[in-house]
Amino acid sequence: MSKVSYNTSVLFKLMREGKKKIEAYISDELHEKLLKSNYKITDAVIKGLETVLNSIEEHSLKDEEIKRLNDVIEGLEEQLTNINPEQLKNKEELIENLGSQIEDLKVQTNDLKEQLKVKDSQLGTKDSQIEKLTENMQAQSVHIQTLINQKAIEAPGAKKPWWRFW
């Protein structure tokens, strides 16, 4: 029997390694509920402590986030208070000036488009004039060539006397 008790004591020592024993007082009502739930007391205490500690960690993370957001809000509020009303007025005037400049540029663009249309029509007119002149020159060159050929056929070697002009 001493062998069995020795083995169980070693086993208990191994199970308790890395763990601390705590004692806690709980209400009778909570103890009754725990016994009825068939939940081990040790497991319930461990689970409860983990829940509390996790809640504290989450709460501290939320506090840090709230603090960071408050810092951001304070920085933005400071920037808003540092804005000078004159600066706002100057910016509004600049926006208005830019708007009028944009309108002027739109008018100029439309004028330039109209001028381009006029230039295009002038180019079309010039193209048709050049085409007519080319046709006229071709007709004249054909006529001159015909006259030259006709002259060559009439009298290939005959010369007119110098006193005849026609």
Side-chain angles (χ1 to χ4, degrees):
M1 196 145 201
S2 65
K3 201 174 194 183
V4 170
S5 67
Y6 175 73
N7 287 339
T8 56
S9 69
V10 169
L11 182 63
F12 283 128
K13 282 185 181 182
L14 288 175
M15 286 176 49
R16 287 189 229 152
E17 205 170 293
K19 297 180 182 180
K20 300 287 181 193
K21 181 179 179 178
I22 62 167
E23 293 182 29
Y25 290 100
I26 59 173
S27 66
D28 291 335
E29 182 182 320
L30 187 60
H31 187 260
E32 289 296 323
K33 285 182 183 178
L34 185 61
L35 292 176
K36 287 180 183 176
S37 69
N38 293 327
Y39 209 83
K40 293 181 183 178
I41 294 176
T42 303
D43 292 338
V45 169
I46 291 172
K47 186 74 170 171
L49 289 173
E50 286 175 349
T51 304
V52 167
L53 293 175
N54 287 339
S55 173
I56 290 171
E57 287 177 9
E58 288 176 10
H59 189 50
S60 68
L61 288 176
K62 288 179 183 177
D63 286 344
E64 289 174 12
E65 183 69 17
I66 289 171
K67 191 180 289 185
R68 188 184 66 78
L69 290 174
N70 282 336
D71 291 342
V72 169
I73 290 171
E74 287 174 8
L76 291 174
E77 287 175 346
E78 184 177 325
Q79 287 178 356
L80 284 174
T81 56
N82 289 338
I83 292 178
N84 191 351
E86 283 185 30
Q87 289 175 334
L88 286 176
K89 186 177 179 182
N90 289 341
K91 287 181 182 179
E92 289 174 1
E93 289 174 1
L94 284 173
I95 290 171
E96 289 175 12
N97 289 339
L98 288 175
S100 64
Q101 287 177 358
I102 289 172
E103 290 301 318
D104 292 343
L105 288 173
K106 285 180 182 179
V107 169
Q108 287 179 359
T109 303
N110 289 334
D111 290 344
L112 290 173
K113 285 180 183 178
E114 290 298 320
Q115 288 178 6
L116 281 174
K117 287 178 184 177
V118 169
K119 295 291 181 188
D120 285 343
S121 67
Q122 289 176 351
L123 282 174
T125 304
K126 291 295 179 190
D127 286 344
S128 65
Q129 289 174 352
I130 289 171
E131 192 176 309
K132 287 178 184 177
L133 285 173
T134 304
E135 289 173 3
N136 192 13
M137 285 176 56
Q138 286 176 348
Q140 286 178 351
S141 63
V142 168
H143 183 66
I144 290 171
Q145 187 65 40
T146 306
L147 288 176
I148 291 172
N149 288 340
Q150 194 177 35
K151 199 68 157 159
I153 294 173
E154 285 181 2
K159 279 189 166 184
K160 285 186 178 180
W162 63 271
W163 65 87
R164 286 194 191 167
F165 293 98
W166 54 92

